Amino acid sequence: MFEDNHIRNSTTRRFVGGLRHFEQQGDIEPLVALFTEDAELFRLDGRGERRGGVREFWQEYRSVFADVRTRFLNAVEGTDPVEGYEEAGLEWHTAGRLTDGRPVDYYGSTFLTLDGDLISGLRSYYDTAVFVKAPIAAG
């Protein structure tokens, strides 16, 4: 099943393929190659800050999972009416297991700023509660 068939923009499609390849094969290079050198990446995860670099951003993302798979459910693509750059909004579902063995299943959205064949910005939003280990109740 190709759940990304609804994505029209070739850079966005390459992003989806690069992320899928990184999640399943561990090869980060195709994903990193999609970003401009000065790309700004943001992930809503409690830190709320821009990350150091593209490679570090994606390594940090993948390091919490033993296994993971993201399916892209919807894409909204267009051109910013003021600035003129291409944008893509992606809704997704991620499921897998954390490195401690706990299952995770969550939804979120990622917004890409496209600069020709490259990505110059990425912002991801999701509920981080699935990553928090619940305290053990005293019995």
Side-chain angles (χ1 to χ4, degrees):
M1 179 170 129
F2 298 100
E3 60 269 345
D4 58 349
N5 281 342
H6 57 283
I7 298 173
R8 293 185 316 270
N9 181 282
S10 62
T11 304
T12 305
R13 288 179 68 81
R14 288 186 3 254
F15 167 75
V16 168
L19 178 61
R20 183 173 292 132
H21 180 76
F22 178 49
E23 286 180 340
Q24 296 171 13
Q25 305 298 320
D27 180 9
I28 196 171
E29 297 310 319
L31 186 58
V32 170
L34 293 173
F35 289 83
T36 62
E37 194 172 304
D38 61 345
E40 293 198 15
L41 293 90
F42 173 85
R43 179 173 47 244
L44 179 67
D45 62 0
R47 285 175 48 187
E49 62 192 36
R50 183 180 183 274
R51 296 307 203 272
V54 174
R55 182 177 305 282
E56 294 80 10
F57 178 90
W58 289 111
Q59 287 173 331
E60 183 181 302
Y61 160 78
R62 185 63 178 89
S63 71
V64 300
F65 298 102
D67 60 79
V68 61
R69 177 165 170 85
T70 300
R71 291 184 313 115
F72 291 87
L73 308 172
N74 190 27
V76 178
E77 301 167 285
T79 303
D80 180 274
V82 175
E83 300 295 327
Y85 54 78
E86 294 291 314
E87 301 176 295
L90 303 168
E91 292 179 302
W92 45 261
H93 170 242
T94 296
R97 280 181 312 112
L98 298 175
T99 55
D100 66 6
R102 288 184 294 138
V104 290
D105 191 308
Y106 64 106
Y107 292 84
S109 298
T110 295
F111 302 91
L112 302 174
T113 303
L114 308 174
D115 185 1
D117 290 340
L118 298 175
I119 300 166
S120 61
L122 176 144
R123 299 167 320 280
S124 283
Y125 302 92
Y126 54 93
D127 184 358
T128 59
V130 298
F131 296 97
V132 178
K133 200 170 201 174
I136 299 173

